[in-house]
Amino acid sequence: MNNLTQLPEWEQLASHQKTACNTTLSSMFDNDPDRAKSFSLEAGNIFLDYSKNHVNKDIMANLFRLARACHVPEHIFAMFSGEKINFTENRPALHVALRAPLHDSLRLGKHNIIQDVHHILNKIEKFVDLIEKGQWKGFQGDKITDIVNIGIGGSDLGPVMVVEALKAYHSTGIRPHFVSNVDACQLLDTLNTLNPGTTLFIISSKTFTTQETLTNAHSARDWFLQSANKEDIRKHFVAVSTNADAVSAFGIDTDNMFEFWDWVGGRYSLWSAIGLSIALTIGMSNFRSLLKGAHVMDEHFRTAPLESNLPATLALIGIWNTNFVGAKNHAILPYSQHLSRLPAYLQQLEMESNGKRTNQSGHYVNYSTCPIIWGEVGTNGQHAFYQLIHQGTPFISADFILIAQSPYSIKMHQDMLIANGIAQTEALMRGRSVQEAEALMLKEGVDLQEAKRLAPHRSFPGNRPTSTLFLPELSPETLGELIALYEHKVFVQGTIWNINSFDQWGVELGKKLAGQILSDLRDKNIRNHDSSTNHLMERYLKFRKN
Ligand code: F6P
C-alpha cells in the first residue's frame, strides 16, 4: 500500500478538515433538521448516533472511500477466512471462530476448527454442570462455592468485565473472584475470605509462562496445601491454556485443562475457555447467548456494505477524530454501573492492539495511530474529570454508552441516569458562548460587572465530538454484540493505519528488564544499570531492610 497520507482519499479528507472544524457542531444541527437521522446507524441491538461529530455527507463518503483504498473489505474477508493476518507472528486471528455456530466450517489446512471450538464448549458445559449441581466435590466432599480466576491482561480483563456487566445474570450460585496483580495483597485479600475445601482455582494463561500469573498460582497452591494433600490438587485446580506441557509441569492434570489455540489473541480470548469463569458464574446458556450476540455482530460486520457497517463506521469516525480533527484522547463513558470495567477492558483491546508505529513494510508511520483510551462510568465521571473535557485544553472525543432498561430500576434512577448521559452529549456539542453565559447571569440577577467578569469562566467552547451507542438492555446477547463491535472497530482502524493489531511486542522489553532487575535485587548486584535505575534498586533494598 502507498503511504497512507499520500492516498488521494486521505488528501481529500485533509482538505475537508479546515472547513469541517471551523463549522460548529451546533450550526450543523441548526442547518439540517435531519442531521441525527442522516448520521446514525443500527445493527443487531445497537443504535449508533454519530451526528455529534464534525462530519458531513462528503466527509463520510470520503472516509468510506479511504476504507476501500486501504482494502478494508478484503481484510475483513481475509480475517474471516483464516489468513495469517497477524503478520509478525505469522498466524491467523480467529476470535470470530470462537462464536461461530457448529454448522459453520472454517478450515485451517485440512482441519475444521469450528469443531474443536464446539468440542471445548461442550467440555466447559459438562464442567459447569458438575460444579453447579455440586457433583464435582472438593477434597472434603463439599460442593464448590467459590472460583478464583488467576490470570492477567486478556486472561483477566475480559472475564472480569463480563462477570461484572452481567451481574443480573449470575445464576449458578458460584461466587467469582479474580486475582491478576502480583501485588500479594490481591491474592491474600481474596484467600482470606475463602475455604480451601470449597474453592476452585482456574489458572488462566494462554502461554502459561506469565510471571505474575504463575507466581500467584504457586502461592495459591501453597495456601491450598496448608490444608490439603498434593493428590487433592486435581479437585481444586484447573487450567485454561494453549500450553499443555507447562500446565502439566505446574502439576495440573491435563484432563483438567481447557484448551484454546494460538490463533486466539489474549485480548480477544474471553469467548474461548478463558471465559470459563464467566460460564461458571452466569451459567452455560447465558455464556452461549454472549457468543450468539458476538456472532450477530460478526455476521453484520462480514456482510454489511461499509456505509451501513457499524464497526466500520465507528472506526472511521475514530480515524477522522484522531487523524484530522486532532483528538488524541478518547474517553469511554458508559452510563451503567455494571459496565464499570469496560474502559479498562477497552484500554487493552484498543491500546495493545493499535498502540503501534511500525507499518507492514517495517517503516515508522508519519500519522497518529491509537489515541489514549480512558474512561469511567457516568454519572461518576461527571463529578470528577468532565470539567476538563468541557473546558480544559486537551481536545477529547468520547463514546457515550447508554443502556435504556435496567433490571435494578428504582423509579426515577434510570431516567436520571439516561437524562444525564444525553445532556452531556448535548452540552459537549453545543457549549455556551461568553454572551450566553453573561445573559444567563444577568437573568439570575448578577450585576453587569460581575457577569462580565465571570462570563469567560462560565462559557464552554462546545464542539467536542461524541458518539452515542444506545442498547435497549444489558444482556448476554447485547453485551456480546457490543464487545464484538469494538473488536471489529479496532481491526478496521489497524487495517487503515497499516499496522498489525494482533501482536504486542511493546510489552516485551519491560518484562525482560523486570526479570533482570529481580535477579539483580536477589543477588544484591546493583551495578548493571543506569544511575537512576541503580539508585532506585538501592533505595528499595534500603527500605525493604528497614
Ligand atoms: O503482557 C501482555 C500479555 O501478553 C497480553 O497480551 C496477554 O493478554 C497477557 O499478557 C497475559 O498473557 P497470558 O494469557 O499468556 O498469561
Side-chain angles (χ1 to χ4, degrees), residues 17 70 175 228 249 354 363 385 406:
Q17 183 261 339
C70 296
R175 286 183 293 268
N354 286 342
H363 298 121
F385 55 77
S406 159

Side-chain angles (χ1 to χ4, degrees), residues 145-213:
T145 55
D146 293 82
I147 53 167
V148 184
N149 185 76
I150 297 183
I152 197 164
S155 301
D156 169 73
L157 287 163
V160 173
M161 183 272 287
V162 172
V163 161
E164 181 63 25
L166 296 178
K167 242 185 189 153
Y169 292 82
H170 288 198
S171 55
T172 58
I174 310 290
R175 286 183 293 268
H177 309 267
F178 293 90
V179 173
S180 51
N181 202 332
V182 77
D183 185 340
C185 68
Q186 196 186 17
L187 180 66
L188 291 178
D189 285 349
T190 306
L191 296 180
N192 283 340
T193 66
L194 298 174
N195 168 358
T198 57
T199 300
L200 177 83
F201 293 94
I202 304 169
I203 315 302
S204 296
S205 174
K206 178 175 170 180
T207 54
F208 229 77
T209 57
T210 304
Q211 193 190 46
E212 296 91 327
T213 300

Side-chain angles (χ1 to χ4, degrees), residues 118-176:
H118 282 267
H119 172 73
I120 297 295
L121 277 174
N122 293 340
K123 183 170 171 178
I124 294 175
E125 182 152 35
K126 280 194 193 122
F127 186 66
V128 171
D129 198 50
L130 288 176
I131 298 277
E132 201 179 343
K133 292 190 175 136
Q135 289 165 354
W136 179 286
K137 304 273 187 222
F139 73 97
Q140 291 161 328
D142 296 323
K143 180 183 190 307
I144 298 296
T145 55
D146 293 82
I147 53 167
V148 184
N149 185 76
I150 297 183
I152 197 164
S155 301
D156 169 73
L157 287 163
V160 173
M161 183 272 287
V162 172
V163 161
E164 181 63 25
L166 296 178
K167 242 185 189 153
Y169 292 82
H170 288 198
S171 55
T172 58
I174 310 290
R175 286 183 293 268

Side-chain angles (χ1 to χ4, degrees), residues 68-325:
R68 289 204 169 85
C70 296
H71 307 289
V72 167
E74 293 85 340
H75 277 79
I76 296 175
F77 180 80
M79 175 170 75
F80 279 88
S81 324
E83 283 179 34
K84 293 183 176 170
I85 56 171
N86 178 349
F87 54 81
T88 55
E89 294 176 315
N90 208 23
R91 54 192 183 214
L94 276 172
H95 39 287
V96 292
L98 298 170
R99 48 250 188 164
L102 182 58
H103 57 76
D104 272 15
S105 162
L106 211 160
R107 296 200 170 270
L108 284 190
K110 285 190 178 147
H111 194 60
N112 180 4
I113 60 164
I114 305 292
Q115 276 170 9
D116 299 344
V117 166
H118 282 267
H119 172 73
I120 297 295
L121 277 174
N122 293 340
K123 183 170 171 178
I124 294 175
E125 182 152 35
K126 280 194 193 122
F127 186 66
V128 171
D129 198 50
L130 288 176
I131 298 277
E132 201 179 343
K133 292 190 175 136
Q135 289 165 354
W136 179 286
K137 304 273 187 222
F139 73 97
Q140 291 161 328
D142 296 323
K143 180 183 190 307
I144 298 296
T145 55
D146 293 82
I147 53 167
V148 184
N149 185 76
I150 297 183
I152 197 164
S155 301
D156 169 73
L157 287 163
V160 173
M161 183 272 287
V162 172
V163 161
E164 181 63 25
L166 296 178
K167 242 185 189 153
Y169 292 82
H170 288 198
S171 55
T172 58
I174 310 290
R175 286 183 293 268
H177 309 267
F178 293 90
V179 173
S180 51
N181 202 332
V182 77
D183 185 340
C185 68
Q186 196 186 17
L187 180 66
L188 291 178
D189 285 349
T190 306
L191 296 180
N192 283 340
T193 66
L194 298 174
N195 168 358
T198 57
T199 300
L200 177 83
F201 293 94
I202 304 169
I203 315 302
S204 296
S205 174
K206 178 175 170 180
T207 54
F208 229 77
T209 57
T210 304
Q211 193 190 46
E212 296 91 327
T213 300
L214 290 188
T215 305
N216 277 324
H218 277 106
S219 300
R221 190 176 61 179
D222 292 347
W223 172 83
F224 175 75
L225 289 175
Q226 286 168 19
S227 333
N229 297 318
K230 264 198 167 156
E231 49 287 6
D232 300 324
I233 285 181
R234 65 182 328 276
K235 297 181 179 138
H236 293 268
F237 283 77
V238 299
V240 181
S241 188
T242 58
N243 186 348
D245 291 345
V247 166
S248 129
F250 176 84
I252 295 179
D253 190 333
T254 44
D255 283 353
N256 291 341
M257 166 177 157
F258 297 83
E259 187 197 2
F260 66 114
W261 307 273
D262 72 351
W263 41 262
V264 182
R267 54 195 171 275
Y268 299 86
S269 65
L270 71 89
W271 324 96
S272 71
I274 288 290
L276 183 60
S277 53
I278 304 173
L280 281 165
T281 309
I282 64 173
M284 197 60 194
S285 100
N286 284 325
F287 186 64
R288 287 192 190 274
S289 299
L290 181 79
L291 301 180
K292 197 169 147 211
H295 182 65
V296 167
M297 190 53 69
D298 294 341
E299 282 305 281
H300 163 77
F301 180 55
R302 188 176 68 80
T303 58
L306 290 180
E307 285 74 5
S308 52
N309 195 306
L310 200 57
T313 304
L314 194 62
L316 290 169
I317 291 294
I319 297 268
W320 174 245
N321 284 331
T322 306
N323 296 107
F324 298 94
V325 182

Side-chain angles (χ1 to χ4, degrees), residues 32-41 50-51 57 60 307:
D32 175 9
D34 281 338
R35 183 169 171 81
K37 215 164 150 201
S38 311
F39 299 104
S40 55
L41 201 58
Y50 59 98
S51 62
K57 286 193 173 144
M60 288 313 298
E307 285 74 5

